[in-house]
Amino acid sequence: MKTGVLFIHGFTGGPLEVRPLVNFLKVRTNWQLAIPTLPGHGITLNLQKGSADSWLMEAELALKRLQKEVDRVIVVGFSMGGLIAMYLSLRYKIDKLVLLSAAAKYISPRILLKEMRIMLAKPLLTKYPPNSFYHLYEYKMTHTPLRAVFEFLRIVSIVKPYYGLIKTPVCIVQGEKDGIVPITAAEHLLKKLGSEKKEFIKSPVGKHHICYSDDCDNWFNEVLRFMRED
């Protein structure tokens, strides 16, 4: 049985946000991995373009492409991508969901910018490739149009009423040091999602960009175990 994994990045972000987990799975599996870039996102961020509808549509198209090539599909969603992953699970047959720092509550750009400034003050070149979007985050957050924030909020409002209808087995990963999405948001999802099989992994040192946490290898292994289980 061939497995495919669809990764969905966050608001104002891109595939780099989930790249460490992608690389981890590449080494340890022969699964097919799909990492689309949502319209207006990525290194050439331009959120004057794109909308909630276009982000959801791009994710749907990527899912449909993957479904044609594999027998089972796992969807991994980071931050806003977690909301989009849940949306997909309401509309399509998905075998498992992995929600990373899922943005079940509103992200404050001011808090995000503060956290990114702290990260940028550290020697990042050992962790992040040069010219990555991390090095451009201050520009991107100060140039994010208000319209795009409202489009993000639309996705929140589209998915929120239907948490209880989501039955897909789910693994929620949340950093306890996340200053953007509070751990209470993950706890709320754990309580409200209708899935019978639910796992909750807490990273004691993890911040919002959880795939870059110092303990990521520990929970990467836990996520891989969850993905492999029948």
Side-chain angles (χ1 to χ4, degrees):
M1 181 175 288
K2 191 172 183 182
T3 297
V5 185
L6 174 64
F7 291 83
I8 307 172
H9 64 74
F11 179 60
T12 78
L16 190 67
E17 291 175 316
V18 294
R19 185 64 63 185
L21 181 54
V22 172
N23 292 339
F24 181 88
L25 295 180
K26 277 183 179 178
V27 171
R28 291 161 179 81
T29 73
N30 61 352
W31 296 346
Q32 186 159 331
L33 310 178
I35 315 107
T37 301
L38 302 178
H41 287 74
I43 292 195
T44 56
L45 183 76
N46 181 4
L47 288 173
Q48 297 293 350
K49 299 179 179 179
S51 64
D53 291 337
S54 69
W55 303 337
L56 294 172
M57 183 178 296
E58 181 61 34
E60 285 193 51
L61 291 173
L63 175 62
K64 288 178 179 178
R65 288 193 295 267
L66 188 59
Q67 285 178 325
K68 290 178 180 178
E69 299 177 6
V70 299
D71 304 301
R72 64 191 290 265
V73 173
I74 299 166
V75 180
V76 179
F78 167 73
S79 197
M80 180 183 77
L83 297 172
I84 296 176
M86 288 187 278
Y87 169 84
L88 293 176
S89 74
L90 289 164
R91 294 173 58 88
Y92 299 93
K93 183 186 181 303
I94 290 170
D95 290 87
K96 292 189 178 179
L97 282 174
V98 178
L99 307 179
L100 311 176
S101 308
K105 294 188 178 181
Y106 174 58
I107 296 175
S108 165
R110 188 187 311 167
I111 296 173
L112 177 57
L113 179 56
K114 181 180 178 182
E115 180 164 300
M116 292 312 304
R117 278 178 174 154
I118 292 171
M119 292 178 70
L120 290 170
K122 298 177 181 179
L124 294 182
L125 291 179
T126 57
K127 266 197 170 183
Y128 308 120
N131 301 318
S132 72
F133 68 87
Y134 282 89
H135 297 267
L136 303 173
Y137 232 107
E138 181 160 353
Y139 170 84
K140 292 187 175 189
M141 289 314 300
T142 54
H143 288 73
T144 298
L146 189 59
R147 184 192 70 80
V149 175
F150 282 115
E151 292 299 311
F152 162 74
L153 291 174
R154 277 188 61 209
I155 292 181
V156 176
S157 64
I158 287 169
V159 180
K160 186 177 180 180
Y162 303 106
Y163 289 160
L165 297 180
I166 294 172
K167 306 298 183 183
T168 308
V170 61
C171 179
I172 299 169
V173 183
Q174 180 68 38
E176 294 188 38
K177 303 293 186 183
D178 192 334
I180 298 156
V181 175
I183 197 163
T184 53
E187 292 168 344
H188 180 71
L189 284 176
L190 186 69
K191 180 180 178 181
K192 293 295 184 180
L193 292 177
S195 313
E196 286 188 15
K197 182 174 177 56
K198 292 185 272 193
E199 291 195 20
F200 188 19
I201 300 172
K202 296 180 184 179
S203 165
V205 298
K207 295 189 177 182
H208 187 59
H209 290 88
I210 189 74
C211 288
Y212 289 90
S213 66
D214 290 337
D215 62 350
C216 63
D217 283 345
N218 296 334
W219 65 260
F220 281 179
N221 280 299
E222 287 297 300
V223 167
L224 179 56
R225 173 194 52 76
F226 170 80
M227 289 176 161
R228 280 178 165 158
E229 286 176 350
D230 294 332

